[in-house]
């Protein structure tokens, strides 16, 4: 109980989020996560301010769950509830009960009658989850300004339990360090969503984030990097941070009180550059590299000698002392074998062990670590690459390269966790909108995550028993601030939670959308800045911008990604309100005009911030970075920020790391005399490993390279060439204007940078065509 006592002293004021449970006085709609069983009752119950939540005397867990419930209802509904021991006079009771109707682990019963509410469970986690569901019942969606005061809920009986025991979320704190308060806030939100595993990615090439007493250089050196700079005279102070052991103990206790297990990941044998920066003898070559500033795959591997295993075991001893989790994640992904192949000592070791190749050596390496963990009562998890040399006998597999690794391992009687890219990679963008922040350009929508099922259809019933569950992953190469993390997670976490908790046959996408406005309102009350990408208005011009330019008018259709909500709009420059005209059919508008639109729920709650679409000649001739197409031989793979370790939001650019080339498709060139590119010079901080040979070089004719504009595609004639300014003198963002020859009609414009591929990475923020008045 010492862990619980520590956590009970923690503040209850951190932001939170819930898998939705909506209710109404007449009939309760399905829950999110959808409950296993819901039975409507007769009548309603009204909970007034000052009502009592009763808990058994001396039951610290029940009291903690009740305090959490009261805090959430106060913050969201403005309704003050009292927590006290005993059932006398209590409107709500929470209690553990050995014979509670739900026998499944983490399950609960929630009963609402005309006389009050009772939550029971056989274990503490179930009681907590029942309290979280009740918090949602007590905070339904209402009209704006009408969600305060007493609340009436329908009589009902809920019997609920999870589909999967592992309901996880991975947070990468190695690439961009996350403050402890932000991690605690995420724990609050996970617990309210009934997610129960926080996988903390603590080490990678770009940083070591955990204090290890025996090896202090890991945080003194390995926790800090000097970001790359491409600005003239620009200072780049060290970036980084780490958690002390006391902070980790505090976090683990805080999470345990909320029934979230923190699972640490210490990456090996690859992704070890920060280790080698601190202790080079642990590496294969003995060389001391800097802590990496390059994202991607870097070459540094752990050695396979006894000194390296002594280091690993000593680190794991301290990790196990800090994290009581049964599972310890050891990575095993993206370990380039080049250093092992080039090392005579490693090759000799491999021969002595009778191993056929470096993949088998990795399996031996990982299994040796797994056996050490098993000897201490722990279990090892590794990414699916550890299967490549034969599956380590002690391994649980976390499958990220699709589901094949999980299927193969489950068929060999190993436990598995599904976490496939891109579907469960939350650093993927949520839409193709220009206002999306940085991230991977593989679009993963709210609907994509909702549709995902963590139980592979390829497995039979016996093999399926090895599927522990699933996990969403948030890698932070392009998530520089807590705001980015929040934006990437919410509300997609609601879809993730329902998929991992609820019975598959009861899930319903349209019903989920109908229940989501209540959750978005909770986020707003709690100061949680959730992404609105699924509901934001999209504008489609009939015939495209060129048709509007030719006609001097446009027919504009409004929609949103989810196909949900009421769209309202204005054409006078004002922000839409619930009283603004309702969109019913495409709008016929005369240029110039500024169209603003927003989406509202049926009760008038705004579901997405207003978006604007400018219908003017200048705007219709401009393409933002995200509206440019990839060149024929490539694709835009990333949306990246101006600087890799920015602490505030800034401009972002769609890029192809292998080719500095973009296409402005179907440019209407009638009367166009010039184009202006808003250019940017970015750090080329990407570890491409064996893919580096794919980077395409375009020959330059001036010292710093040029912007080359071609007409009719990237093999067409050169229309203009503009020299790039000196990186030593020019700012990181600058305009480039090119005069164009007189050309009529629509033509694809290909824009290519010829700067050296060993220097900065040049990007395009926007391209604007200038026409004669």
């Amino acid at each position: 109980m010492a862990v619980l006592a520590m956590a009970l002293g923690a503040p209850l004021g951190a932001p939170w989020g819930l898998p939705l449970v909506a209710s109404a006085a007449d009939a309760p709609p399905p829950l999110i996560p959808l409950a296993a069983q819901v039975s409507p009752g007769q009548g309603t119950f009204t909970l007034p301010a000052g009502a009592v939540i009763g808990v058994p005397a001396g039951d610290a867990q029940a009291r903690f769950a009740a305090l959490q419930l009261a805090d959430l209802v106060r913050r969201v509904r403005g309704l003050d509830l009292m927590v006290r021991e005993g059932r006398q006079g209590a409107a709500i009771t929470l209690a553990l009960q050995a014979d509670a109707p739900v026998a499944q682990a983490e399950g609960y019963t929630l009963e609402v009658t005309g006389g009050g509410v009772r939550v029971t469970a056989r274990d503490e986690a179930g009681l907590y989850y029942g309290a979280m569901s009740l918090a949602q019942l007590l905070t339904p969606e209402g009209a704006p300004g009408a969600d305060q005061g007493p609340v009436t809920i329908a009589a009902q009986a809920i019997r609920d339990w999870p589909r999967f025991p592992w309901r996880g979320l991975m947070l990468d704190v190695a690439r961009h360090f996350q403050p402890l308060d932000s991690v605690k806030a995420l724990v609050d939100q996970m617990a309210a969503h009934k997610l129960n595993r926080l996988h903390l990615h603590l080490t990678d090439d770009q940083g070591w984030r955990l204090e290890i007493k025996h090896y202090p250089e890991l945080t003194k050196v390995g926790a800090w990097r000097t970001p790359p700079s491409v600005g003239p005279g620009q200072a780049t102070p060290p970036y980084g941070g780490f958690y002390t052991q006391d902070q980790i103990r505090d976090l683990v206790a805080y999470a345990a009180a909320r029934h979230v297990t923190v699972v640490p990941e210490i990456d090996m044998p690859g992704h070890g550059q920060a280790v080698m920066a601190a202790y080079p003898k642990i590496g294969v070559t003995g060389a001391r590299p800097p802590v990496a500033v390059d994202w991607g795959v870097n070459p540094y591997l752990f050695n396979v000698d006894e000194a390296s295993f002594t280091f690993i075991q000593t680190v794991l001893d301290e990790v196990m002392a800090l994290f009581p989790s049964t599972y310890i994640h050891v990575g095993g992904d993206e370990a380039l074998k080049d250093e092992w192949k080039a090392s005579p000592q490693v090759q000799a070791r491999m021969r002595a062990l009778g191993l056929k190749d470096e993949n088998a050596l990795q399996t031996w390496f990982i299994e040796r670590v797994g056996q050490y963990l098993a000897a201490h009562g722990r279990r090892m998890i590794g990414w699916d690459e550890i299967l490549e040399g034969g599956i380590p006998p002690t391994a649980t597999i976390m499958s990220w390269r699709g589901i094949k690794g999980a299927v193969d391992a489950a068929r060999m009687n190993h436990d598995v966790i599904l976490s496939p890219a891109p579907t469960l990679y939350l650093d993927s963008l949520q839409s193709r909108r220009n206002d999306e922040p940085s991230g991977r350009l593989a679009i993963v929508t709210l609907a994509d995550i909702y549709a995902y099922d963590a139980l592979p259809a390829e497995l039979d019933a016996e093999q399926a028993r090895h599927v522990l569950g699933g996990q969403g992953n948030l890698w932070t190469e392009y998530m520089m601030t807590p705001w980015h993390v929040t934006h990437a997670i919410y509300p997609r976490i609601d879809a993730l939670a329902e998929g991992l908790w609820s019975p598959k046959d009861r899930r319903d996408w349209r019903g989920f959308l109908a229940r989501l406005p209540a959750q978005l309102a909770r986020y707003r009350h709690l100061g949680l800045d959730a992404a609105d990408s699924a509901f934001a208005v999209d504008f489609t011009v009939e015939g495209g911008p060129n048709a509007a330019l030719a006609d001097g008018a446009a027919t504009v259709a409004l929609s949103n990604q989810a196909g949900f909500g009421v769209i309202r709009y204005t054409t006078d420059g004002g922000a839409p309100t619930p009283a603004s005209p309702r969109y019913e059919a495409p709008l016929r508008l005369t240029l110039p005009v500024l169209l603003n639109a927003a989406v509202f729920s049926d009760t008038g709650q705004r579901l997405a911030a207003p978006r604007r679409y400018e219908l003017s000649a200048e705007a219709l001739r401009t393409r933002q970075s995200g509206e440019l197409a990839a060149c024929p031989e490539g694709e835009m793979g990333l949306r990246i920020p101006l600087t890799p370790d920015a602490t505030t939001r800034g401009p972002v650019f769609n890029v192809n790391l292998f080719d500095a080339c973009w296409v402005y498709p179907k440019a209407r060139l009638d009367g166009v005399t010039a184009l202006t590119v808003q250019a940017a010079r970015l750090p080329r901080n990407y570890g491409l490993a064996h893919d580096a040979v794919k980077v395409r070089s375009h020959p330059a004719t001036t010292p710093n390279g040029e912007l080359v504009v071609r007409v009719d595609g990237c093999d067409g004639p050169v229309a203009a060439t503009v020299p790039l300014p000196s990186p030593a003198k020019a700012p990181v963002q600058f305009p480039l204007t090119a005069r164009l020859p007189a050309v009529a009609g629509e033509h694809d414009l290909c824009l290519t940078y010829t700067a050296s591929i060993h220097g900065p990475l040049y990007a395009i923020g926007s391209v604007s065509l200038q026409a004669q008045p």
Side-chain angles (χ1 to χ4, degrees):
M1 297 301 291
V3 168
L4 175 62
M6 291 171 61
L8 287 175
L12 296 176
W16 64 288
L18 297 178
L20 308 177
V21 172
S23 69
D26 52 353
L31 309 177
I32 298 179
L34 292 167
Q37 299 173 2
V38 180
S39 301
Q42 296 294 319
T44 63
F45 174 71
T46 298
L47 188 74
V52 171
I53 305 173
V55 299
D59 190 333
Q61 279 285 351
R63 181 175 180 81
F64 180 71
L67 289 171
Q68 292 282 90
L69 166 64
D71 181 67
L72 298 179
V73 173
R74 175 186 58 79
R75 294 172 63 202
V76 176
R77 183 79 187 183
L79 189 65
D80 287 321
L81 304 177
M82 298 175 58
V83 177
R84 71 184 187 201
E85 294 185 347
R87 299 178 59 181
Q88 185 69 30
I92 299 169
T93 60
L94 274 68
L96 290 171
Q97 184 175 312
D99 61 348
V102 176
Q104 291 88 342
E106 302 180 280
Y108 65 91
T109 300
L110 194 164
E111 297 174 301
V112 182
T113 67
V117 183
R118 178 169 174 78
V119 180
T120 60
R122 298 191 183 191
D123 60 40
E124 294 172 347
L127 191 65
Y128 187 91
Y129 294 145
M132 294 298 96
S133 290
L134 180 56
Q136 297 171 78
L137 287 172
L138 297 175
T139 54
E141 183 198 13
D147 50 1
Q148 301 292 305
V151 59
T152 298
I153 55 178
Q156 57 196 282
I158 298 170
R159 306 286 187 268
D160 199 12
W161 59 88
R163 182 183 180 201
F164 293 108
W166 187 290
R167 306 179 301 280
L169 188 67
M170 188 281 292
L171 178 63
D172 169 22
V173 298
R175 274 54 176 269
H176 280 102
F177 180 71
Q178 301 298 312
L180 184 63
D181 287 347
S182 296
V183 182
K184 283 185 173 182
L186 178 60
V187 168
D188 284 333
Q189 296 151 16
M190 288 180 62
H193 280 87
K194 304 184 178 73
L195 299 177
N196 62 357
R197 297 291 192 281
L198 173 60
H199 171 181
L200 211 54
H201 184 77
L202 289 162
T203 74
D204 216 297
D205 296 307
Q206 297 82 14
W208 182 285
R209 306 295 179 211
L210 175 64
E211 178 188 22
I212 300 296
K213 300 286 190 181
H214 200 86
Y215 298 112
E217 297 295 303
L218 285 172
T219 47
K220 183 178 179 180
V221 174
W224 306 93
R225 61 178 183 258
T226 301
S229 171
V230 292
Q234 182 181 357
T236 53
Y239 173 92
F242 65 92
Y243 306 109
T244 67
Q245 293 199 355
D246 285 344
Q247 287 176 319
I248 289 295
R249 292 187 187 97
D250 176 45
L251 173 63
V252 167
Y254 188 91
R258 292 154 178 81
H259 305 283
V260 174
T261 300
V262 183
V263 179
E265 180 180 352
I266 307 297
D267 219 335
M268 59 185 85
H271 287 294
Q273 189 166 335
V275 175
M276 284 79 214
Y279 293 96
K281 291 184 179 180
I282 304 305
V284 175
T285 68
R288 185 191 296 272
V291 176
V293 298
D294 291 344
W295 311 132
V297 181
N298 294 294
Y300 294 92
L301 294 176
F302 281 76
N303 208 333
V304 294
D305 59 8
E306 291 305 309
S308 293
F309 282 104
T310 297
F311 172 90
I312 290 168
Q313 292 169 3
T314 303
V315 168
L316 289 176
D317 287 344
E318 295 196 32
V319 168
M320 288 186 286
L322 293 168
F323 296 93
S325 166
T326 299
Y327 290 93
I328 306 292
H329 205 303
V330 299
D333 60 310
E334 298 177 327
L336 294 177
K337 307 303 190 296
D338 296 359
E339 287 190 339
W340 282 357
K341 290 178 180 179
S343 168
Q345 291 80 13
V346 171
Q347 292 297 305
R349 177 77 158 168
M350 196 167 68
R351 288 192 296 271
L353 293 168
L355 302 174
K356 64 178 181 178
D357 58 23
E358 289 76 20
N359 285 335
L361 179 62
Q362 173 163 311
T363 295
W364 171 83
F365 181 106
I366 292 293
E367 175 57 18
R368 178 161 172 176
V369 174
Q371 289 177 359
Y372 187 79
L373 292 172
H376 291 77
R378 307 301 182 94
R379 298 184 65 182
M380 174 187 69
I381 300 177
W383 299 106
D384 57 68
E385 282 97 330
I386 68 175
L387 296 169
E388 292 173 352
I391 190 167
T394 61
T396 295
I397 302 301
M398 187 170 280
S399 189
W400 74 275
R401 298 179 302 175
I403 66 170
K404 184 178 185 301
V407 170
D408 290 346
R411 286 172 173 168
M412 291 184 281
N413 297 318
H414 283 257
D415 289 345
V416 300
I417 300 156
L418 278 294
S419 189
T423 306
L424 296 188
Y425 270 45
L426 302 181
D427 48 324
S428 298
L429 299 189
Q430 300 178 62
S431 78
R432 300 192 183 280
R433 301 183 55 82
N434 289 324
D435 54 20
E436 283 285 327
S438 51
R440 302 175 196 267
L441 282 179
I443 308 301
V444 175
T445 68
L446 188 66
D448 292 331
I449 294 181
Y450 192 85
Y452 180 74
D453 185 62
L455 185 60
E458 295 89 334
L459 300 178
D460 63 28
E462 183 60 32
Q463 295 161 352
R465 294 167 61 89
H466 289 290
V467 177
L468 300 182
Q471 177 173 291
N473 290 336
L474 184 69
W475 302 100
T476 60
E477 289 97 327
Y478 314 106
M479 307 284 145
M480 294 84 69
T481 66
W483 175 87
H484 284 90
V485 171
T486 297
H487 183 274
I489 291 175
Y490 301 97
R492 290 186 293 185
I493 194 174
D494 294 281
L496 175 70
E498 183 151 300
L500 296 176
W501 178 279
S502 304
K504 181 181 179 181
D505 60 0
R506 296 206 57 208
R507 286 158 56 191
D508 170 28
W509 167 242
R510 301 310 301 179
F512 173 80
L513 290 176
R515 300 185 301 273
L516 199 54
Q519 180 64 358
L520 297 177
R522 296 183 191 107
Y523 289 150
R524 185 180 67 253
H525 282 295
L526 296 165
L528 192 62
D529 192 3
D532 62 3
S533 308
F535 304 102
V537 175
D538 291 318
F539 305 85
T540 303
V541 177
E542 185 178 302
N546 290 345
L549 285 168
D551 296 345
T555 300
V556 184
L558 309 183
S559 62
N560 66 17
Q561 187 187 87
F564 180 85
V566 177
I567 299 176
R568 298 190 181 274
Y569 67 93
T570 65
T571 57
D572 60 3
T577 71
S580 297
R582 177 173 179 154
Y583 173 76
E584 302 286 358
L587 309 171
R588 184 65 178 174
L589 303 169
T590 300
L591 278 59
V593 64
L594 181 61
L595 178 60
N596 285 330
V599 177
F600 297 85
S601 71
D602 289 338
T603 67
Q605 178 193 163
R606 198 177 72 189
L607 302 181
R611 294 325 201 258
R612 55 182 288 171
Y613 190 76
E614 183 180 351
L615 286 156
S616 66
E618 179 181 0
L620 291 169
R621 291 192 183 101
T622 298
R623 300 291 180 272
Q624 303 299 322
S625 180
E627 297 171 305
L628 300 174
C631 290
E633 297 181 6
E635 63 180 63
M636 301 299 173
L638 294 172
R639 178 170 292 187
I640 60 177
L642 187 64
T643 55
D645 289 325
T647 56
T648 58
R649 294 179 63 183
V652 292
F653 307 88
N654 284 21
V655 300
N656 171 8
L657 297 181
F658 300 107
D659 195 357
C661 180
W662 295 256
V663 174
Y664 182 134
K666 297 183 179 180
R668 186 174 188 269
L669 298 180
D670 300 82
V672 170
T673 59
L675 65 75
T676 296
V677 169
Q678 296 301 326
R681 189 176 62 254
L682 314 178
R684 193 184 291 269
N685 62 313
Y686 301 94
L688 300 179
H690 297 160
D691 287 331
V693 296
K694 299 178 183 178
V695 179
R696 187 176 181 186
S697 177
H698 300 278
T701 58
T702 59
N704 303 310
E706 305 84 31
L707 172 69
V708 177
V709 182
R710 294 178 181 269
V711 178
D712 294 326
C714 297
D715 295 325
V718 174
T721 300
V722 184
L724 297 175
S726 168
K729 298 178 181 179
V732 294
Q733 290 183 276
F734 51 90
L736 296 170
T737 298
R739 302 293 298 178
L740 296 179
V743 179
E746 294 184 0
H747 302 265
D748 286 351
L749 297 179
C750 180
L751 301 100
T752 305
Y753 288 118
T754 65
S756 169
I757 61 174
H758 302 294
L761 180 69
Y762 284 87
I764 293 177
S766 65
V767 181
S768 299
L769 304 179
Q770 282 86 53
Q772 294 175 338

